[in-house]
């Protein structure tokens, strides 16, 4: 069965994504009701990269986000632990380097990147705090770490509608369109199990990040979290709240 459990053993999660790689992006666009491109554009803006900066796109999948970052002028490395997703990205002609990597044990030296981002992937890491700490380790002092992830809608009514969509409508869509409907059962469960905005913001602090802010997208269905690696003279010792 092509799904993983919420203990998120890396081999199981990688195998699940291998199984859905060919239709993953199409299914995501449908399931997100056309919002994916807007979320991706907001992620690129949040990183605020300048031409030539070196950016790690972790859990890059087929490299859709990597390609967007490259178009903004970044030198991008696309890292993922699903061979199937990376193979599909290469098949589509994504012009970025792909590197197989476990988010909990990144094969990069300290301070290797100017920024790092993970889009809709941190919740699939077996120990997401360890993954976040690794992102901090490989980003230079003063560099940015951004997480774009499903979150908790800010309106009670929207939360109710969203949960019903995840539990009822999304499985029906997956049965029609996805190569593995079971994989989307896992994805639904992982979204509902994921911490809300303030808890993830606290994780940023535990990882040592400063200037920790988040921005809600689509009413909080998705949240962009951003923090700065200490050092480099940018915001050292400062605590920042609110949206960006």
């Amino acid at each position: 069965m092509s799904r993983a459990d919420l203990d998120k053993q890396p081999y199981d999660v990688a195998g699940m994504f291998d199984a859905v790689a060919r239709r993953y992006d199409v299914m995501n666009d449908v399931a997100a009701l056309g919002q994916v491109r807007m979320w991706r554009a907001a992620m690129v803006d949040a990183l605020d990269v300048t031409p030539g900066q070196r950016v790690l796109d972790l859990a890059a999948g087929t490299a859709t986000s990597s390609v967007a970052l490259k178009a903004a002028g970044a030198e991008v490395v696309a890292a993922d632990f699903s061979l199937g997703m990376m193979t599909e990205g290469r098949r589509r002609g994504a012009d970025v380097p792909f590197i197989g990597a476990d988010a909990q044990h990144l094969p990069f030296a300290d301070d290797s990147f100017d920024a790092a981002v993970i889009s809709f992937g941190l919740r699939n890491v077996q120990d997401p705090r360890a993954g976040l700490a690794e992102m901090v380790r490989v980003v230079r002092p003063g560099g940015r770490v951004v997480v774009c992830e499903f979150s908790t809608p800010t309106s009670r009514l929207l939360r109710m509608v969203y949960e019903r969509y995840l539990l009822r409508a999304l499985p029906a869509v997956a049965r029609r369109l996805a190569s593995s409907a079971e994989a989307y059962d896992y994805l639904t469960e992982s979204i509902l199990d994921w911490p809300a905005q303030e808890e993830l913001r606290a994780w940023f602090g535990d990882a040592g990040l400063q200037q920790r802010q988040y921005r809600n997208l689509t009413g909080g269905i998705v949240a962009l979290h951003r923090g700065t690696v200490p050092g480099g003279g940018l915001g050292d010792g400062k605590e920042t709240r609110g949206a960006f």
Side-chain angles (χ1 to χ4, degrees):
M1 181 167 62
S2 298
R3 65 158 290 163
D5 296 319
L6 288 183
D7 63 0
K8 295 178 284 191
Q9 293 295 324
Y11 179 84
D12 293 337
V13 176
M16 180 193 72
F17 280 104
D18 288 346
V20 300
R22 183 61 67 94
R23 304 197 70 184
Y24 179 78
D25 292 327
V26 171
M27 178 62 196
N28 269 9
D29 284 342
V30 172
L33 304 177
Q35 298 295 296
V36 172
R37 288 171 180 80
M38 183 271 286
W39 296 337
R40 187 180 300 125
M43 176 274 292
V44 173
D45 288 344
L47 272 173
D48 193 24
V49 294
T50 57
Q53 284 193 322
R54 185 171 161 84
V55 177
L56 172 64
D57 185 14
L58 186 56
T62 61
T64 53
S65 55
S66 304
V67 170
L69 287 164
K70 183 176 180 179
E75 296 179 3
V76 187
V77 174
D80 203 287
F81 67 174
S82 166
L83 177 60
M85 294 288 276
M86 291 187 289
T87 298
E88 178 64 15
R90 290 192 186 99
R91 187 187 71 81
R92 297 180 189 177
D95 187 21
V96 294
F98 287 87
I99 294 180
D102 180 345
Q104 301 171 106
H105 308 284
L106 293 175
F108 307 111
D110 295 358
D111 307 339
S112 297
F113 297 92
D114 296 296
V117 62
I118 184 167
S119 298
F120 307 108
L122 188 61
R123 76 182 191 285
N124 298 317
V125 178
Q126 185 178 27
D127 183 349
R129 290 174 178 262
L132 191 57
E134 277 289 89
M135 293 174 75
V136 173
R137 179 184 67 79
V138 302
V139 171
R140 63 166 174 80
R144 282 179 170 162
V145 171
V146 169
V147 173
C148 182
E149 187 55 88
F150 290 109
S151 197
T152 303
T154 55
S155 157
R156 181 179 178 183
L157 177 60
L158 181 57
R159 282 198 301 273
M160 291 174 57
V161 172
Y162 181 54
E163 288 182 8
R164 288 180 182 176
Y165 171 74
L166 288 174
L167 293 170
R168 299 179 185 178
L170 181 57
V173 172
R175 284 192 293 272
R176 283 177 167 267
L177 298 179
S179 54
S180 172
E182 292 87 356
Y184 285 88
D185 290 340
Y186 158 79
L187 292 172
T188 293
E189 292 163 15
S190 69
I191 291 169
L192 293 173
D193 190 60
W194 189 245
Q197 289 88 328
E198 282 295 332
E199 185 175 353
L200 183 53
R201 182 177 176 277
W203 289 10
F204 269 51
D206 294 341
L209 289 163
Q210 298 174 341
Q211 296 182 302
R212 299 171 290 126
Q213 297 172 286
Y214 64 83
R215 174 186 171 195
N216 288 316
L217 304 176
T218 317
I221 287 174
V222 167
L224 272 172
H225 287 256
R226 183 172 71 184
T228 303
V229 177
L234 297 175
D236 287 357
K238 294 181 180 178
E239 175 66 6
T240 305
R241 288 185 176 271
F244 58 88

